[in-house]
Amino acid sequence: MTYRRATGFGLVFASAALTFAATAALAQGAPPAPPVQVSAPLAKRVTNWDEYTGRFEASEQVEIRARVSGFLDSLHFRDGDLVTKGDLLFTIDPRPYRLSVDVSRADVARAKAQVELAQNEVERAEGLTQNRTITARDIDQRRANLNSAIGTLQGAEANLKTAELNLEWTQVRAPLSGRISNRRVDPGNLVAGGQSGATLLTTIVAVDPINFVFDTSEADYLRYSRLAGNLRKVTSRNEGSPAEVRLADEHEWKRRGKIDFVDNALNARSGTIRGRAVFENKDQFLTPGTFGRLRLFAGEADALLVPDTVIVSDQASKIVMTVGPENKVVPKPVVLGQITDGLRVIREGLSPTDQVIIGGLANPMVRPGGTVTPQPGEIKPTATN
């Protein structure tokens, strides 16, 4: 009887020992919760900007066409040169037009002689009326001849001005200052002039200032109109609304200009309205047709900021990982704003008390629903716009 009791006690002890050993083994094999750095979003009052894509356009552009017909005699520029208003660009053979001027001058001289003759006839007839040696009908006829001669003279003088103008137009000059394109016609070719069907010789675009054209949505237009009281009135003032632009390979907003035009109607198909900003281009670096990004001042507001590196993409949405109750990872969809001081503005989705994971996201164990070990971190601005 004693032997059986001892044996039963030994079995119970051995079973308890095995259970403890198994539990200890499981405890030793379980991976620890990965450490992560967490911090509340940085609360700061920021300047809001709205960004739009657009392209640069010349503030002035003109097509150089021949006003008179003739053979192109010579050109006086190199393709792509900067030209000044009034510079001589092309010369059309002027010889036929000089002959026309000479003929018109001869017609004017002939008409003047006829006027003088008719004037003398009238004066002579008026002197004879006292002796009644000439009839009233003859006097009327001589006065009519004088008026006819005066009309002929005026027509000849007008023809002379036209001939001189045509001669002047044989020298094609720059109507504005800017950068000229390449020549479309080489010397020796016949060019056509006139108001229709005139030959295109080249084009000139103004380089400074330069315009930036973009489209904004109806919602943005209404918001800006309410923000400024009346956007069109603001843009009609000398100072305009501030605007900044950067090119595709630029990261900072160093080019500053102003809004100087908003269209008078929204596009019925796209629901957008066209705007225009003007920028200085003294170094002539900006070229018409270049695309860029423009941003407009959209007021100031209190915002929450996080590093751009902590934002995770989930298909079409953006997510920020946070630490919730029981140190569980909780993903939060957010709406992004612009970059300010090197941090991303979060417009919606976060609260000031959220604990955002700012370090340790590369660990594959840090995933939604997983347990982590939070460690205190800090979000600091890294740059100044």
Side-chain angles (χ1 to χ4, degrees), residues 193-213:
Q195 296 182 353
S196 62
T199 302
L200 176 63
L201 301 178
T202 187
T203 59
I204 300 177
V205 296
V207 293
D208 184 29
I210 192 169
N211 294 334
F212 187 87
V213 179

Side-chain angles (χ1 to χ4, degrees), residues 85-321:
K85 183 177 180 180
D87 285 352
L88 181 62
L89 304 177
F90 298 91
T91 299
I92 297 172
D93 187 3
R95 292 174 295 177
Y97 298 97
R98 288 200 187 103
L99 294 177
S100 296
V101 170
D102 294 340
V103 171
S104 298
R105 286 174 179 169
D107 291 340
V108 169
R110 187 180 303 109
K112 285 182 178 179
Q114 292 297 326
V115 169
E116 291 178 0
L117 177 60
Q119 182 68 40
N120 293 335
E121 291 290 339
V122 171
E123 292 175 356
R124 187 178 300 109
E126 289 176 348
L128 296 176
T129 55
Q130 298 176 357
N131 300 329
R132 296 183 178 180
T133 58
I134 190 171
T135 64
R137 183 176 181 279
D138 291 336
I139 294 177
D140 292 340
Q141 181 64 46
R142 294 185 182 187
R143 287 176 178 170
N145 293 338
L146 174 60
N147 291 334
S148 177
I150 292 174
T152 302
L153 174 60
Q154 292 175 344
E157 289 176 342
N159 290 335
L160 174 60
K161 291 180 180 179
T162 300
E164 291 175 341
L165 187 59
N166 288 335
L167 177 61
E168 179 183 342
W169 282 345
T170 60
Q171 293 185 337
V172 182
R173 298 184 178 273
L176 59 87
S177 298
R179 188 173 297 280
I180 195 168
S181 182
N182 65 302
R183 62 186 183 274
R184 303 292 199 274
V185 181
D186 292 321
N189 287 285
L190 180 65
V191 297
Q195 296 182 353
S196 62
T199 302
L200 176 63
L201 301 178
T202 187
T203 59
I204 300 177
V205 296
V207 293
D208 184 29
I210 192 169
N211 294 334
F212 187 87
V213 179
F214 63 98
D215 292 322
T216 181
S217 67
E218 180 179 357
D220 287 347
Y221 170 72
L222 294 176
R223 178 164 54 86
Y224 275 106
S225 295
R226 290 191 174 95
L227 178 65
N230 189 320
L231 185 59
R232 190 167 284 107
K233 287 183 179 180
V234 172
T235 57
S236 65
R237 300 173 186 170
N238 291 332
E239 64 273 13
S241 299
E244 299 179 355
V245 73
R246 68 180 184 182
L247 303 181
D249 61 343
E250 295 177 343
H251 302 285
E252 298 182 3
W253 304 86
K254 294 183 178 180
R255 306 179 188 274
R256 292 175 174 81
K258 62 181 180 180
I259 302 295
D260 71 333
F261 168 76
V262 175
D263 211 347
N264 58 0
L266 282 92
N267 188 304
R269 293 185 177 181
S270 63
T272 60
I273 190 168
R274 184 165 54 98
R276 185 181 70 197
V278 59
F279 293 86
E280 290 186 353
N281 191 28
K282 294 181 179 179
D283 59 356
Q284 302 161 13
F285 180 77
L286 301 175
T287 304
T290 304
F291 282 86
R293 292 284 292 176
L294 176 134
R295 70 176 186 178
L296 299 177
F297 175 73
E300 294 184 348
D302 294 327
L304 300 177
L305 292 82
V306 299
D308 208 24
T309 55
V310 308
I311 299 170
V312 181
S313 297
D314 182 12
Q315 294 182 353
S317 61
K318 300 296 183 180
I319 292 176
V320 171
M321 297 295 184

